[in-house]
Amino acid sequence: MKVLSHDPELCVGCYTCEEVCSETWFKLVDRSRSSIRIHDDGSGPLRAVFCVQCGECIAVCPTEAISQDRRGIVRVRKKLCVGCMSCVGFCPYDAMFYHEDQTEPYKCVACGKCVDPCPADALAILDEQVAQ
Amino acid sequence: MTENSREASSVLAKHTYTVSAVVRGYAGRTLYVNVGDGVIESKPVTQEMKDKFIGGRGFDLWLLWNGVADDTKWDDPENEIVISSGPCGGTTQYPGSGKSIVATVSPLTNVVIDSNAGGHFGPLLKFAGWDAVEVQGKADKDVIVVIDGTTGTVRIEVAPEDAPGDTHLLGRWLLDRYAADEEARRYTSSITAGTGSEHTRMGCLNFSLYDRKRQDLRYKQAGRGGIGTVLRDKRIKALVVRSRPVKGDSNAPADLGRISRTGAEMHREVREFDPIQNRMRSRGTSYLVQIMDDYDLLPVHNFRYGSHPDTPQINGDVWEARFTQGLPDGCWYGCTIACAHAVDGYEVKSGPHKGQIVIVDGPEYETIAAVGSNCGIFDPDVVLEINFYCDTYGIDTISFGTALGFVMECYEAGVLDTEKTGGLELSFGSADAALAVLHQMGQGEAFGEVVGLGIRGMKRYFVEQYDTDARFLQDIGMEAKGLEYSEYVTKESLAQQGGYGLTNKGPHHDEAWLIFMDLVNNQLPTFEDKAEALHYFPMWRTWFGLCGFCKLPWNDVVHPKNAQSAEPSKIPHHVQNYVEIFSGVTGREVTSQDLIDMAEGVYNFQRVFNIRLGYGLREHDAIPYRSVGPVTAEEYESRADRYDEQLRELLNLEPETMSTEEKMSALRVHRERQYELLIDAVYERRGWTADGVPTLSKLQSLGIDYPEVVAVVERHL
């Protein structure tokens, strides 16, 4: 399975990835709608939060709206989702996001759109074992 | 809904309507259905109703008040069953936001009973366009009321003769009939009772939910007070509702972001702390069994004792192993507390459904304690079997277990014998006899018919038929107002004696649960403290039922920071969550005090309603001595050290110089006096007269001084 990978040593905190992500999926440059979030707590390397496709959220979902596709990517099917936020609260990585304007949560599906625009080459799509 | 099913049905009455969108938690109208004369009407929800009665139980009471007369009895045609969820019901983002609340005039108490249930009916009813449904009248044949929010129709149909009687079959039959495909099943819910509801006074309602993971039906019960009995007396086989698909904004909250934010934070709290606190997600309320036993509070042998060496055989560890794990067992979407566990693949061992493989919903704490320890039954298979049959027969597990405990004590005390029970040896622990009684109740035959009267009915029957000592029966019969006690031993907690006795509907824990505050943590040392708690908590717990909330997410998972709050017992950070959700749904900005004020109006209205029906006064708040102190010498001696010390310390007596009878008598005088003093203090705090009547100034301050309400009260001032 291919997943997104972030190298904190290379990341410069420009937030380009957040902007690209939101534009890709919501047609809006709005970082609060991004499925990758860069955190800077001021005491060390920047930290990126995004889905690692662990699938913990699948069992929590009461409507079977979350499943893994053939590539192993965890996806939320909007048609089945009732917006209950269970997956948001139960994600061990806090990587299931929601926006206050919409009912369904969203997450990184390892589409890789953020990789090339990253000016620091801090992002990559890698095989899961390599990424770990 | 298929064309074929419609054609196959005999439609007695039909009403069409436009399904309007929900606005800020309200559909804006209620549905009236008379199964006697076929009248189906829409009624507007007024601003006054929203302001004063909020929704849920408040709407139930208001509609019921206007539907019945002063002398309405439970089986009169004008009695109604009213069901409503409330403005927050159907919220998917916050745990426990899908409750339905039901009210009717009870066959057990003759006053208003309110009872709540999970399942999908209440929220789907709202999404089908109705804030409440009010059913009145009596049909002359079995009928099914169908509320279809996808077509905008309400129909009263004749129930075909091949429709099953018991819920686990009837629910499936209804689903096959009214929900043709998987998507329709998801948004269809039914309310059914069962054959036991037809033959007993303690019938319950089963609210269905379609479990997507199991692809099967689950049921949650509105158990208390015999509402299932009323349903079947009206010859209603089922109420069925179907709505359009549910989404995260189906309840149309004023501020979706506020709801989502509050819900997501609460889910995180559940994820982090439930595994190290009560483990509701893996064993539900069964965790309480061992704790209650450890504190001598678990009903054993008709509430004589509070613990038993065999309790580990039915405690939470046992149920954790039996419940199917890893499924999102909420009874409405988004409940991550997920206490609604089930035993899958259970093979029924007795009775008319023997050999069937079924899902058993539960058992929850109350059921385990009622039909288990209280009856001396410590076999989990028997508890499961009784749980299954109570549900499918439509019999309240609490009333059944508490009533059976009473019967078993009567049997052991010689009030009953095998001649009177039809050959059943009903001593404590007699599992086969317990199941035999239950099956008789399901069929309405033999001794089961007597047990089905409930404890108050049985007391009367035993005195009339067997010339039994009425005082003994009054002392050991664990009922008040006619309702069987739920499952906590209250002898050592005066506050919880009031928590059970000073209620509107009868002794049920959803008004006040003060045992730990009072007995274990000693937070209520004075009468004033107890009275304040018996004001605040009943109002607070009433508020949940106005809005469609479950109480468990309030206090069964708690952030550790709560310990540092000013009033940990109130769990202020969770109270604030409810302020956020209520304000976020309705757009009505409220404070935590506003929530109490809302509930106080409805609570007092219900008290006046009881007075209107001929009850609701001080004499009706009396409780059996078994809930206050030891009735028998055996009971006294079992905890002699405790009672002797109290005689010494509280009454300056010398127990070593007294006989057991003398000690019991002295203790009884003291404890009964304490309860009377508690009543005085609570009534004063609640703004009631010494006879338990809300004063005019109280009604005025609450804004419920309607002429018809004042007229009821004035007769008693």
Side-chain angles (χ1 to χ4, degrees):
Chain A
M1 180 172 57
K2 304 286 188 185
V3 298
L4 185 65
S5 173
H6 172 257
D7 186 340
E9 299 299 331
L10 298 176
C11 182
V12 295
C14 67
Y15 304 107
T16 300
C17 54
E18 294 189 4
E19 292 176 358
V20 169
C21 180
S22 67
E23 188 169 19
T24 301
W25 292 95
F26 292 96
K27 313 301 178 204
L28 288 170
V29 179
D30 177 357
R31 288 167 48 203
S32 72
R33 296 177 195 267
S34 173
S35 294
I36 177 171
R37 305 287 171 94
I38 305 298
H39 294 277
D40 180 1
D41 61 12
S43 62
L46 298 168
R47 186 169 58 88
V49 174
F50 53 86
C51 177
V52 299
Q53 318 301 336
C54 72
E56 287 279 314
C57 50
I58 294 172
V60 176
C61 176
T63 60
E64 299 193 302
I66 307 177
S67 57
Q68 276 181 309
D69 68 14
R70 281 175 298 176
R71 295 188 300 125
I73 301 299
V74 176
R75 292 184 178 272
V76 180
R77 282 179 289 178
K78 284 188 176 182
K79 190 181 175 209
L80 292 177
C81 177
V82 295
C84 72
M85 301 290 135
S86 300
C87 54
V88 174
F90 272 69
C91 174
Y93 302 96
D94 288 330
M96 185 71 84
F97 300 105
Y98 68 97
H99 191 277
E100 302 197 346
D101 287 350
Q102 72 172 64
T103 56
E104 299 91 358
Y106 49 90
K107 59 181 285 303
C108 174
V109 293
C111 71
K113 294 283 187 187
C114 56
V115 173
D116 286 347
C118 175
D121 291 332
L123 292 166
I125 293 291
L126 300 174
D127 191 77
E128 185 185 12
Q129 279 84 23
V130 177
Q132 284 174 350
Chain B
M1 200 84 45
T2 65
E3 285 299 321
N4 285 343
S5 72
R6 271 204 296 271
E7 285 166 11
S9 306
S10 174
V11 177
L12 298 174
K14 184 176 178 181
H15 171 85
T16 59
Y17 67 100
T18 303
V19 184
S20 52
V22 174
V23 178
R24 297 186 171 193
Y26 290 98
R29 56 188 172 178
T30 66
L31 175 63
Y32 172 86
V33 178
N34 191 313
V35 295
D37 59 18
V39 172
I40 304 173
E41 291 175 341
S42 167
K43 296 181 179 179
V45 169
T46 64
Q47 192 60 45
E48 177 81 0
M49 284 170 70
K50 291 185 192 176
D51 291 345
K52 300 286 172 58
F53 295 93
I54 314 302
R57 178 167 148 194
F59 278 14
D60 290 349
L61 292 168
W62 176 245
L63 293 168
L64 187 63
W65 172 283
N66 290 300
V68 302
D70 294 1
D71 59 353
T72 295
K73 301 292 180 256
W74 72 272
D75 54 353
D76 286 336
E78 71 261 25
N79 190 18
E80 296 187 336
I81 297 172
V82 195
I83 305 154
S84 174
S85 184
C88 301
T91 297
T92 60
Q93 290 83 357
Y94 197 81
S97 302
K99 284 279 189 173
S100 303
I101 298 86
V102 197
T104 192
V105 176
S106 161
L108 286 170
T109 67
N110 299 314
V111 293
V112 179
I113 185 76
D114 62 274
S115 189
N116 70 76
H120 290 183
F121 191 94
L124 296 188
L125 177 70
K126 190 201 294 186
F127 302 151
W130 308 102
D131 285 317
V133 60
E134 176 188 8
V135 287
Q136 194 174 40
K138 275 195 199 190
D140 56 11
K141 53 179 89 68
D142 281 350
V143 297
I144 300 168
V145 177
V146 183
I147 304 158
D148 189 343
T150 64
T151 58
T153 57
V154 180
R155 298 191 306 281
I156 304 172
E157 299 179 3
V158 176
E161 287 185 5
D162 64 348
D166 290 333
T167 278
H168 79 289
L169 299 176
L170 176 58
R172 188 73 214 187
W173 183 90
L174 290 164
L175 197 68
D176 291 343
R177 184 178 179 82
Y178 295 108
D181 54 36
E182 184 70 7
E183 176 160 308
R185 290 187 185 101
R186 291 173 190 150
Y187 308 113
T188 299
S189 177
S190 62
I191 297 175
T192 54
T195 52
S197 280
E198 297 166 16
H199 307 299
T200 71
R201 297 286 182 98
M202 53 183 77
C204 73
L205 299 180
N206 288 288
F207 284 61
S208 80
L209 65 105
Y210 185 71
D211 186 325
R212 299 189 193 200
K213 299 265 182 181
R214 291 178 170 91
Q215 295 195 319
D216 210 337
L217 285 171
R218 308 279 313 281
Y219 301 94
K220 300 300 290 179
Q221 290 72 34
R224 305 310 330 263
I227 309 177
T229 304
V230 180
L231 188 85
R232 292 304 292 131
D233 183 65
K234 293 183 175 302
R235 299 204 62 178
I236 299 172
K237 193 89 173 175
L239 300 166
V240 180
V241 69
R242 183 174 164 197
S243 83
R244 293 177 180 140
V246 174
K247 301 299 288 179
D249 56 359
S250 290
N251 203 38
D255 187 344
L256 177 66
R258 198 170 178 182
I259 308 293
S260 299
R261 206 164 45 241
T262 309
E265 278 309 307
M266 184 62 194
H267 292 316
R268 288 192 180 100
E269 204 173 309
V270 175
R271 179 187 99 207
E272 191 170 356
F273 300 112
D274 180 64
I276 57 173
Q277 293 178 2
N278 296 331
R279 305 209 314 272
M280 296 284 282
R281 287 176 55 77
S282 57
R283 54 185 180 163
T285 55
S286 73
Y287 81 89
L288 274 167
V289 174
Q290 194 61 55
I291 295 173
M292 290 300 111
D293 186 274
D294 292 346
Y295 283 96
D296 207 25
L297 298 168
L298 181 73
V300 170
H301 294 184
N302 193 32
F303 292 80
R304 276 191 285 191
Y305 314 115
S307 61
H308 193 283
D310 292 339
T311 296
Q313 296 174 26
I314 54 168
N315 72 11
D317 294 341
V318 172
W319 297 111
E320 187 165 6
R322 299 294 289 266
F323 292 149
T324 305
Q325 298 292 328
L327 296 179
D329 279 336
C331 65
W332 174 246
Y333 302 118
C335 188
T336 44
I337 300 283
C339 73
H341 297 298
V343 175
D344 290 283
Y346 177 77
E347 183 175 347
V348 182
K349 297 178 177 60
S350 68
H353 306 299
K354 182 177 178 180
Q356 293 180 23
I357 306 297
V358 298
I359 301 170
V360 185
D361 294 279
E364 300 179 30
Y365 166 77
E366 298 289 338
T367 300
I368 301 164
V371 310
S373 60
N374 194 47
C375 296
I377 293 171
F378 294 91
D379 180 339
D381 282 318
V382 176
V383 172
L384 269 181
E385 184 87 358
I386 295 176
N387 189 160
F388 166 74
Y389 267 111
C390 277
D391 289 351
T392 200
Y393 284 156
I395 292 173
D396 175 26
T397 55
I398 296 176
S399 278
F400 174 76
T402 300
L404 193 64
F406 168 74
V407 166
M408 287 174 161
E409 183 163 355
C410 285
Y411 185 86
E412 293 200 344
V415 173
L416 297 172
D417 54 32
T418 50
E419 192 179 327
K420 290 167 183 148
T421 64
L424 297 174
E425 295 180 7
L426 277 160
S427 49
F428 287 110
S430 305
D432 289 344
L435 276 162
V437 167
L438 181 54
H439 293 313
Q440 290 172 356
M441 291 167 79
Q443 309 308 315
E445 59 188 26
F447 188 63
E449 208 166 13
V450 177
V451 180
L453 295 171
I455 291 176
R456 184 164 285 195
M458 279 193 284
K459 287 193 301 191
R460 201 176 298 126
Y461 184 86
F462 294 165
V463 170
E464 289 171 2
Q465 299 293 318
Y466 310 136
D467 198 25
T468 307
D469 175 8
R471 179 173 155 132
F472 175 68
L473 297 182
Q474 172 57 31
D475 280 351
I476 68 163
M478 287 299 284
E479 60 87 10
K481 298 181 173 69
L483 186 70
E484 285 74 22
Y485 268 65
S486 69
E487 309 305 322
Y488 300 96
V489 170
T490 57
K491 293 187 184 100
E492 303 310 312
S493 170
L494 179 59
Q496 188 55 31
Q497 291 166 29
Y500 272 143
L502 308 180
T503 49
N504 277 324
K505 68 179 155 199
H508 190 57
H509 52 280
D510 85 344
E511 266 206 23
W513 196 86
L514 303 173
I515 290 182
F516 266 46
M517 279 182 76
D518 189 35
L519 176 63
V520 179
N521 300 327
N522 197 26
Q523 291 168 311
L524 308 172
T526 68
F527 280 107
E528 287 70 27
D529 295 328
K530 295 182 204 306
E532 182 57 35
L534 283 167
H535 170 71
Y536 178 85
F537 288 102
M539 302 313 149
W540 171 234
R541 285 167 171 262
T542 293
W543 184 80
F544 288 86
L546 307 185
C547 299
F549 286 123
C550 171
K551 298 166 198 75
L552 302 191
W554 163 56
N555 67 351
D556 271 307
V557 177
V558 177
H559 195 290
K561 70 182 179 186
N562 185 60
Q564 276 74 53
S565 67
E567 295 180 284
S569 61
K570 293 183 179 176
I571 315 173
H573 70 290
H574 283 177
V575 173
Q576 185 58 34
N577 283 353
Y578 291 104
V579 168
E580 297 295 325
I581 299 288
F582 184 87
S583 300
V585 168
T586 64
R588 175 180 168 184
E589 287 299 327
V590 295
T591 65
S592 57
Q593 182 57 45
D594 290 334
L595 310 187
I596 301 301
D597 294 344
M598 290 177 206
E600 194 177 3
V602 175
Y603 192 89
N604 277 268
F605 184 78
Q606 190 166 350
R607 181 77 178 186
V608 177
F609 204 158
N610 286 353
I611 297 170
R612 178 188 173 203
L613 294 173
Y615 300 85
L617 303 175
R618 185 176 185 126
E619 64 179 295
H620 305 111
D621 285 341
I623 53 178
Y625 188 63
R626 173 59 56 77
S627 67
V628 177
V631 173
T632 64
E634 184 188 18
E635 230 173 316
Y636 187 101
E637 294 299 345
S638 75
R639 270 78 176 157
D641 290 348
R642 176 192 298 162
Y643 298 136
D644 284 354
E645 186 185 339
Q646 290 176 11
L647 292 177
R648 231 177 264 116
E649 302 219 338
L650 299 173
L651 301 175
N652 282 323
L653 295 173
E654 296 176 1
E656 46 287 332
T657 67
M658 302 165 71
S659 69
T660 301
E661 295 301 323
E662 288 170 335
K663 292 192 290 187
M664 287 168 59
S665 177
L667 192 67
R668 180 166 188 154
V669 169
H670 169 70
R671 290 192 170 198
E672 290 185 332
R673 173 74 182 144
Q674 295 290 106
Y675 184 67
E676 293 301 321
L677 292 172
L678 179 73
I679 293 179
D680 290 338
V682 172
Y683 283 1
E684 185 177 348
R685 176 62 187 88
R686 290 184 181 174
W688 298 353
T689 69
D691 199 24
V693 180
T695 61
L696 285 178
S697 61
K698 171 54 74 176
L699 297 179
Q700 285 160 358
S701 72
L702 296 169
I704 56 168
D705 52 331
Y706 305 115
E708 63 269 35
V709 173
V710 170
V712 170
V713 167
E714 277 181 335
R715 293 198 288 271
H716 297 276
L717 294 176

